[in-house]
């Protein structure tokens, strides 16, 4: 059989926060004694062993104080490591006696019966053989089930890791801290993992959706106005470039009736200059002298000019000016800067299309204005050379039709932008969903998720079928045990132990009327108002018999006994020790934890003698100078410590003073005396412990100095101090009430306070040392000879 060598790791498991087995700490032996005060962690340690027995860590009732992330590891002598996460696969045969065992098996309520202990009848040979075979089959099936369970858990872990990584990836992509593996799995199940093929996005689409998903709601943009062409010329409304073109060609090709002057007709610049001067003379009604040189003007010359610049001539020029001004009005302004600023305000996914249409618009504006400028240039040329025909410009396109067509496209984009503002949250949500589905689809494709799920479901199905087979086999075994059980044998053994405890057949167990459990009787009637000592005796007797249930062999058992005598008087303590010594000498491995110094000394002496016997054997039989046998008993203690105002515990080798002293009283005195002489400031850990030590020491001392239970500790201190002060004539030598209060508050109130932070609520560390010095002073002055003996011991 395997035995436990170490509890190698304890993490967030009750009072053990982060314990690792130190290399200096000797490994467990066959017999192990653990000393620890109440609330130091002994029961927590026993529960770790109990989890091996139950093959489960988190019993809803017994382990409810331990969080689910608490961990432990146990190392066995064959080198294997049993972890809390896979405790169900443990093959260790463990039996644990602690308060949980009592609560789970023994009912002290007369209305309920205790759970029966089952022994197989030795007389029913055939059924016993069948039962043995079923148990062997169950062991084999249990191993198969555990392997299948591990396989299922492994595949479940693979799936869980995949979904966790996927959830984290999507969470980071969407900046959504709430997104996790549960949401990823829910989405996959909702759509179906075979329906994600079309959810993978192109790189451009992915970038676009990512951009929208990260965007904030934009600002609304105004739409662009369309252009309506409308000019008036010679009482005609012109609404197309074709009409403009027709009027231009008419003006450019118009012939003027005049008596033309050849040299003016052939010189456009001169013609313009002379016409300007002629118009000036007309406006000033100057017919005699030249306004430029003041020389006389020939009247015939003016008549000649008047014939050259005829009314037709003037009308044509006037028409050209009017029409030129009209078409100059329809020139388009450059919208570049406005379009650029509008584009910058649009959602990123709309900016590309907007820019594309903006370039088209600018091209149309350039073409329109270029044509208009060319047309104006032609009209200017006709104006300056009215008497000749000017060639027509190129035929125009319907520029404003094209302009308005592009404006409509730009407005559609702007309207889409404004719609997005109204539905921004929906757009963002849609984009995030597209990204989410894309990432899921990509992950499913890369890891072959359908195969992963198929393998997990197959393993879960096989595990479930095997578990059903295990449960069926358990029912068969239970039924056969019921048929072959000899509950009476268990009752007789329990009652034998109870008689030994109480010295007579006063308290006995009997089968209840339905033969489904035991009831506790006192002198023939159902027992009520059992004392705590009686309850403990019944529970421990029950445990002694329980260890041998179902043909269990003691030499294959690991037994852990936690504080079996917490409510016993000294007579019961010796009897309990005797039972332990006689019943568990041959167990595979034994652990005893206690806070009772009397039981501790009894067990310690027993173990020391065992070790000494082996050491004596080794003196006579050495191989290559090395012992033939290793000692098989080891001693440990659990010490409470304070860490950042929180009480924790550590598992250590037994303090040498505990091994050396047989008297708890002498041991406690040695600790107090050593503490009082320390030169350095005490730690909070020392203060916490010393208060409890001081309380226990004073209780023992006060019990024989003031042997009565009718007064409290405070009154006993006051009475002892009063006797001391009677002998003091000098007031300065007397022990003051303040000093008495210091001692009382440290050893009584402080040591009993359940809040460990009370250790740092004390006024200061030095005051604790003062209180211990005063306590020792009280003992010394109350009984000098007794104090001297204590010092010598």
């Amino acid at each position: 059989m395997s035995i436990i060598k170490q509890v190698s790791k304890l993490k967030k498991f009750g009072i053990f926060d982060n314990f690792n087995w130190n290399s200096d700490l000797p490994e467990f032996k066959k017999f192990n004694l653990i000393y620890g005060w109440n609330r130091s962690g002994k029961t927590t340690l026993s529960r770790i062993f109990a989890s091996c027995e139950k093959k489960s860590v988190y019993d809803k009732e017994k382990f409810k104080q331990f969080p689910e992330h608490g961990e432990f590891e146990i190392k066995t002598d064959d080198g294997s490591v049993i972890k809390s996460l896979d405790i169900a696969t443990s093959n260790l045969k463990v039996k644990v006696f602690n308060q949980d065992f009592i609560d789970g098996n023994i009912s002290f309520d007369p209305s309920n019966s205790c759970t029966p202990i089952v022994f197989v009848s030795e007389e029913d040979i055939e059924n016993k053989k069948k039962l043995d075979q079923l148990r062997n089959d169950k062991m084999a099936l249990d191993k198969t089930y555990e392997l299948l369970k591990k396989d299922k858990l492994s595949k479940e872990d693979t799936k869980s890791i995949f979904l966790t990584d996927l959830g984290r990836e999507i969470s980071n992509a969407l900046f959504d801290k709430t997104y996790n593996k549960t949401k990823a799995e829910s989405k996959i199940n909702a759509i179906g993992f075979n329906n994600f093929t079309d959810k993978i996005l192109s790189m451009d689409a992915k970038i676009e959706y990512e951009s929208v998903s990260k965007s904030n709601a934009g600002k609304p943009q105004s739409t662009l106005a369309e252009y309506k062409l409308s000019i008036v010329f010679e009482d005609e409304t012109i609404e197309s470039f074709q009409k403009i073109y027709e009027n231009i060609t008419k003006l450019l090709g118009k012939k003027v009736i005049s008596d033309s002057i050849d040299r003016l007709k052939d010189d456009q610049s001169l013609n313009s200059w002379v016409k300007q001067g002629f118009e000036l003379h007309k406006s000033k009604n100057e017919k005699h002298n030249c306004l430029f040189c003041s020389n006389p003007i020939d009247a015939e010359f003016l008549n000649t000019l008047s014939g050259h610049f005829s009314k037709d001539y003037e009308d044509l020029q006037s028409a050209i000016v009017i029409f030129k001004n009209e078409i100059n009005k329809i020139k388009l302004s450059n919208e570049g800067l406005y379009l650029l600023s509008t584009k910058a305000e649009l959602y990123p996914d709309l900016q590309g299309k907007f820019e594309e249409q903006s370039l088209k618009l600018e091209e149309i504006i350039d073409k329109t204005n270029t044509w208009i400028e060319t047309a104006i240039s032609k009209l200017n040329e006709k104006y300056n050379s009215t008497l000749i025909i000017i060639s027509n410009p190129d035929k125009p396109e319907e520029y404003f039709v094209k302009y308005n067509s592009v404006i409509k496209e730009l407005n559609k984009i702007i309207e889409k932008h404004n719609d997005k503002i109204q539905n921004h949250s929906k757009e963002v949500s849609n984009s995030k969903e597209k990204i989410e589905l894309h990432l899921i689809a990509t992950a499913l494709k890369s890891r072959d998720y359908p195969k992963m799920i198929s393998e997990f479901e197959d393993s879960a199905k096989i595990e479930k079928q095997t578990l059903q087979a295990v449960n069926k086999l358990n029912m068969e075994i239970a039924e056969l045990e019921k048929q072959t059980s000899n509950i009476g044998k268990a009752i007789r053994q329990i009652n034998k132990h109870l008689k030994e405890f109480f010295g007579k057949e006063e308290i006995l167990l009997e089968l209840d009327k339905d033969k489904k459990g035991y009831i506790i009787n006192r002198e023939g009637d159902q027992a009520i108002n059992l004392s705590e000592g009686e309850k403990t005796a019944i529970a421990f007797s029950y445990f002694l018999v329980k260890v041998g249930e179902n043909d269990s062999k003691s030499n294959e058992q690991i037994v852990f006994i936690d504080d079996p005598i917490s409510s016993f008087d000294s007579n019961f303590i010796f009897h309990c020790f005797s039972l332990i010594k006689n019943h568990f000498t041959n167990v595979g491995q034994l652990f005893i934890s206690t806070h009772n110094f009397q039981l501790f000394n009894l067990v310690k002496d027993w173990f020391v003698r065992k070790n000494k016997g082996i050491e004596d054997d080794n003196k006579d039989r050495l191989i290559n100078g090395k012992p033939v046998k290793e000692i098989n008993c080891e001693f440990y203690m659990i010490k409470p410590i304070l860490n950042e105002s929180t009480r924790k515990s550590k598992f250590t080798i037994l303090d040498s003073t505990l091994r050396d002293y047989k008297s708890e009283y002498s041991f406690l005195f040695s600790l107090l005396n050593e503490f009082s002489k320390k030169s350095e400031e005490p730690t909070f850990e020392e203060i916490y412990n010393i208060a409890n030590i001081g309380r226990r020491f004073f209780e023992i001392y006060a019990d024989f100095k003031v042997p009565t239970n009718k007064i409290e500790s405070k009154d006993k201190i006051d009475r002892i101090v009063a006797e001391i002060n009677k002998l003091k004539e000098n007031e300065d030598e007397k022990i003051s009430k303040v000093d008495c209060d210091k001692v009382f508050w440290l050893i009584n109130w402080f040591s009993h306070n359940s809040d460990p932070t009370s250790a740092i609520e004390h006024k200061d560390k030095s005051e604790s040392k003062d209180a211990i010095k005063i306590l020792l002073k009280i003992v010394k002055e109350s009984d000098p000879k007794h104090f001297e003996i204590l010092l010598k011991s």
Side-chain angles (χ1 to χ4, degrees):
M1 63 159 288
S2 296
I3 63 172
I4 295 173
K5 299 301 288 183
Q6 297 178 4
V7 178
S8 52
K9 178 181 178 181
L10 287 169
K11 184 178 180 181
K12 297 186 182 301
F13 205 92
I15 199 168
F16 296 99
D17 182 42
N18 193 17
F19 169 78
N20 290 286
W21 195 277
N22 192 297
S23 58
D24 295 335
L25 188 61
E27 293 184 331
F28 290 134
K29 303 296 190 297
K30 181 176 180 179
F31 298 94
N32 304 276
L33 175 59
I34 302 166
Y35 179 76
W37 292 16
N38 280 334
R39 299 178 68 244
S40 63
K42 299 189 302 300
T43 300
T44 298
L45 187 63
S46 74
R47 283 173 172 156
I48 294 168
F49 281 72
S51 66
C52 296
E53 178 183 2
K54 299 173 185 293
K55 298 185 184 299
S56 172
V57 177
Y58 303 111
D59 185 293
K60 289 182 180 179
E61 291 301 319
K62 302 303 182 289
F63 292 148
K64 59 187 176 183
Q65 69 270 44
F66 300 141
E68 290 190 6
H69 54 264
E71 300 174 23
F72 67 78
E73 291 181 5
I74 294 173
K75 183 178 177 182
T76 62
D77 59 343
D78 60 6
S80 62
V81 176
I82 300 169
K83 298 183 179 181
S84 50
L85 295 177
D86 56 8
I87 194 66
T89 63
S90 167
N91 291 319
L92 292 176
K93 297 179 179 180
V94 181
K95 295 289 184 183
V96 176
F97 178 83
N98 58 13
Q99 189 59 46
D100 297 339
F101 172 85
I102 298 172
D103 295 340
N105 291 278
I106 315 298
S107 172
F108 299 109
D109 179 0
S111 63
N112 295 320
S113 57
C114 308
T115 305
I117 299 172
V118 177
F119 284 94
V120 176
S121 174
E122 296 177 359
E123 291 79 15
D124 195 344
I125 298 173
E126 289 304 317
N127 277 335
K128 190 173 186 302
K129 287 181 180 179
K130 186 178 179 180
L131 190 57
D132 289 341
Q133 183 59 50
L134 287 175
R135 286 172 177 165
N136 289 333
D137 293 345
K138 182 179 180 301
M139 287 179 64
L141 195 58
D142 280 344
K143 289 181 180 179
T144 301
Y145 170 69
E146 292 304 331
L147 291 174
L148 291 172
K149 187 176 180 180
K150 274 190 174 181
D151 181 61
K152 186 201 81 169
L153 290 174
S154 174
K155 289 180 170 59
E156 191 173 26
D157 284 345
T158 301
K159 172 191 167 188
S160 179
I161 291 169
F162 167 79
L163 291 172
T164 298
D165 292 343
L166 177 58
R168 186 182 300 113
E169 182 184 9
I170 295 174
S171 173
N172 293 335
L174 303 183
F175 296 96
D176 181 0
K177 291 182 179 180
T178 67
Y179 201 97
N180 52 26
K181 70 174 186 178
T182 303
K183 290 186 177 181
E185 185 174 21
S186 177
K187 182 66 74 172
I188 292 170
N189 293 337
I191 295 176
F193 54 71
N194 290 319
N195 300 323
F196 277 85
T197 307
D198 61 344
K199 303 295 188 289
I200 296 179
L201 302 171
S202 66
M203 182 57 70
D204 290 342
K206 181 173 178 287
I207 291 172
E208 180 178 330
Y209 284 124
E210 285 175 344
S211 178
V212 174
S213 72
K214 298 172 186 175
S215 68
N216 296 317
K219 297 177 181 177
Q221 297 298 308
S222 300
T223 53
L224 303 169
E226 295 184 23
Y227 197 95
K228 182 171 177 59
L229 173 60
S230 180
I231 60 175
V232 178
F233 181 62
E234 294 181 346
D235 298 327
E236 179 188 7
T237 301
I238 299 172
E239 295 180 336
S240 71
F241 269 86
Q242 180 60 33
K243 281 291 184 184
I244 293 173
Y245 179 73
E246 289 173 3
N247 279 279
I248 289 174
T249 57
K250 188 188 296 184
L251 290 171
L252 294 178
K254 194 170 186 178
K255 294 182 179 181
V256 176
I257 299 173
S258 68
D259 296 326
S260 61
I261 301 172
D262 289 339
R263 65 193 182 106
L264 294 180
K265 179 181 176 183
D266 296 335
D267 190 336
Q268 182 177 331
S269 299
L270 181 61
N271 186 75
S272 295
W273 182 72
V274 172
K275 185 178 186 302
Q276 186 180 6
F278 179 68
E279 293 293 333
L280 189 61
H281 278 81
K282 284 171 64 177
S283 66
K284 292 184 177 289
N285 197 25
E286 177 58 60
K287 299 179 179 178
H288 304 290
N289 296 311
C290 176
L291 292 174
F292 179 70
C293 64
S294 299
N295 290 322
I297 299 177
D298 186 349
E300 187 62 29
F301 177 67
L302 289 175
N303 290 332
T304 302
L305 289 176
S306 179
H308 179 81
F309 299 112
S310 67
K311 186 176 184 302
D312 283 350
Y313 187 104
E314 291 179 349
D315 287 347
L316 177 58
Q317 283 193 324
S318 176
I320 289 171
V321 170
I322 291 170
F323 194 61
K324 185 176 67 173
N325 289 337
E326 285 297 306
I327 64 173
N328 194 55
K329 292 177 184 177
I330 67 173
K331 284 180 72 176
L332 299 171
S333 61
N334 193 326
E335 300 285 350
L337 289 175
Y338 176 76
L339 294 173
L340 190 63
S341 64
T342 301
K343 172 196 165 187
E345 295 292 340
L346 297 178
Y347 283 103
D349 59 315
L350 301 177
Q351 291 180 1
K353 293 179 181 178
F354 190 86
E355 183 177 16
E356 181 183 337
Q357 294 300 322
S358 296
L359 292 173
K360 286 183 181 180
L361 189 68
E362 288 182 7
E363 184 181 354
I364 291 170
I365 292 171
D366 288 342
K367 284 184 177 182
T368 304
N369 290 343
T370 299
W371 189 88
I372 291 172
E373 286 167 1
T374 302
I376 290 173
S377 176
K378 290 286 185 179
L379 290 172
N380 283 334
E381 189 178 346
K382 181 67 176 179
Y383 180 89
N384 293 324
S385 302
T386 311
L387 299 177
I388 62 175
I389 296 173
I390 305 299
S391 63
N392 294 327
D394 294 335
K395 283 189 176 182
E397 302 173 26
E398 284 301 328
Y399 295 112
F400 286 119
V401 174
K402 291 186 176 182
Y403 177 91
N404 287 337
S405 176
V406 175
I407 288 293
K408 286 178 181 178
E409 292 301 316
L410 287 169
N411 284 339
K412 285 180 183 178
I413 297 171
I414 292 172
E415 287 167 359
K416 191 173 182 180
H417 166 80
N418 291 339
D419 287 342
K420 277 176 172 281
I421 293 172
Q422 294 296 322
N423 300 292
H424 180 261
S425 59
K426 187 176 179 181
E427 288 284 330
V428 170
S429 177
N430 178 62
S431 296
K432 286 186 175 182
E433 185 178 22
K434 294 286 187 183
I435 296 167
E436 174 193 12
L437 297 178
H438 167 78
L439 293 174
I440 292 175
T442 304
L444 295 181
K445 183 179 179 181
S446 66
R447 289 294 305 275
D448 195 356
Y449 187 75
K451 181 181 178 183
M452 186 191 304
I453 292 298
S454 176
E455 290 178 348
F456 166 68
E457 289 177 347
D458 289 346
S459 65
K461 182 179 179 182
I462 296 172
E463 184 231 24
K464 183 179 179 181
Q465 291 171 346
T466 307
L467 179 59
Q468 290 172 344
V470 169
N471 291 336
K472 182 180 178 183
L473 194 55
N474 283 337
M475 290 175 64
E476 291 179 16
I477 291 171
E479 184 60 33
L480 195 56
E481 284 178 343
K482 188 185 295 183
Q483 294 173 17
T484 62
S485 65
N486 185 353
I487 299 178
K489 180 181 177 182
I491 290 181
R492 288 194 296 273
Q493 289 192 20
I494 295 171
N495 287 337
K496 177 177 177 293
H497 292 309
L498 291 176
K499 182 180 178 181
E500 291 171 349
F501 261 112
F502 302 120
K504 58 180 179 178
E505 293 183 346
E506 177 186 358
I507 296 175
L508 299 173
L509 266 62
E510 293 182 8
L511 272 177
D512 62 16
K513 59 182 178 181
D514 297 321
K515 296 187 177 180
K516 294 181 179 179
Y518 310 142
I519 57 174
I520 305 170
N521 286 341
R522 187 198 297 275
E523 295 181 348
D525 296 321
Q526 238 177 323
I528 58 174
N529 299 326
L530 291 164
S531 70
E532 292 304 312
E534 289 171 335
K535 290 178 181 179
T536 305
I538 294 168
F540 195 64
S541 299
Y542 185 96
F543 177 74
L544 291 172
V545 179
K546 183 79 173 174
V547 171
E549 186 179 30
N550 289 333
D551 291 343
S552 297
K553 296 177 175 60
S554 63
N555 61 353
E556 296 177 354
Q557 300 283 336
I558 298 173
V559 176
F560 194 112
I561 302 172
D562 175 40
D563 264 344
I565 45 76
S566 57
S567 303
F568 288 167
D569 61 25
S570 59
N571 292 329
F572 281 166
I573 289 173
F574 281 106
H575 183 71
C576 182
F577 167 69
S578 178
L579 287 173
I580 293 172
K581 182 178 177 183
N582 287 286
H583 277 80
F584 300 119
T585 295
N586 296 318
V587 293
Q589 192 173 21
L590 178 63
F591 293 83
I592 301 172
S593 67
T594 184
H595 76 286
N596 183 281
F597 207 77
Q598 191 171 2
L599 179 63
F600 168 78
N601 275 323
L602 290 170
V603 177
K604 181 181 71 172
D605 289 347
W606 174 34
F607 286 1
V608 167
R609 286 196 299 272
K610 279 182 172 292
N611 282 347
K612 189 174 186 307
I614 292 173
E615 290 168 356
D616 290 342
D617 286 346
N618 287 337
K619 289 179 182 177
D620 300 326
R621 292 187 297 163
L622 296 175
I623 299 177
N624 297 325
K626 294 183 179 180
V628 174
K629 297 181 181 179
E630 288 188 7
I631 58 170
N632 60 3
C633 303
E634 197 55 78
F635 307 90
Y636 305 90
M637 68 186 300
I638 301 176
K639 294 177 65 176
I641 58 175
L642 278 174
N643 182 15
E644 297 179 354
S645 304
T646 303
R647 192 170 64 89
K648 301 297 179 183
S649 280
K650 61 181 180 180
F651 192 77
T652 67
I653 192 67
L654 185 68
D655 191 285
S656 59
T657 52
L658 278 171
R659 295 190 67 163
D660 296 340
Y661 287 102
K662 280 198 173 184
S663 162
E664 180 185 12
Y665 181 62
S666 298
F667 165 64
L668 296 173
F669 176 80
S670 70
L671 296 179
L672 294 173
N673 190 50
E674 181 182 352
F675 178 81
S676 69
K677 292 180 178 180
K678 287 187 70 170
S679 56
E680 64 271 18
E681 188 179 65
T683 64
F684 284 125
E685 176 189 347
E686 289 173 323
I687 294 172
Y688 180 84
N689 288 325
I690 208 67
N692 288 283
I693 293 168
R695 176 184 62 80
R696 179 61 181 148
F697 172 79
F698 181 76
E699 284 176 351
I700 299 171
Y701 178 73
D703 280 347
F704 68 78
K705 287 298 288 184
V706 187
T708 175
N709 293 324
K710 294 182 179 180
I711 62 174
E712 301 293 330
S713 296
K714 180 66 168 64
D715 294 326
K716 288 187 177 183
I717 292 176
D718 291 341
R719 186 177 295 188
I720 293 171
V721 170
E723 291 296 325
I724 294 171
N725 288 341
K726 279 183 185 179
L727 304 175
K728 304 287 186 182
E729 295 182 1
N730 190 336
E731 287 294 326
D732 294 339
E733 295 179 357
K734 292 183 178 181
I735 298 172
S736 68
K737 287 187 177 181
V738 173
D739 286 345
C740 287
D741 287 343
K742 280 185 182 180
V743 174
F744 176 73
W745 284 111
L746 179 71
I747 69 174
N748 193 68
W749 176 83
F750 173 69
S751 68
H752 281 77
N753 194 317
S754 60
D755 178 11
T757 60
S758 60
I760 59 171
E761 292 173 53
H762 209 60
K763 289 181 180 179
D764 58 44
K765 296 177 181 178
S766 61
E767 192 165 299
S768 298
K769 188 186 288 188
D770 289 342
I772 296 302
K773 286 182 177 180
I774 295 166
L775 173 61
L776 294 178
K777 180 181 178 182
I778 290 172
V779 174
K780 181 179 180 179
E781 298 201 6
S782 171
D783 196 333
K785 290 185 178 180
H786 176 70
F787 188 82
E788 186 179 348
I789 293 170
L790 285 173
L791 282 178
K792 289 181 179 180
S793 69

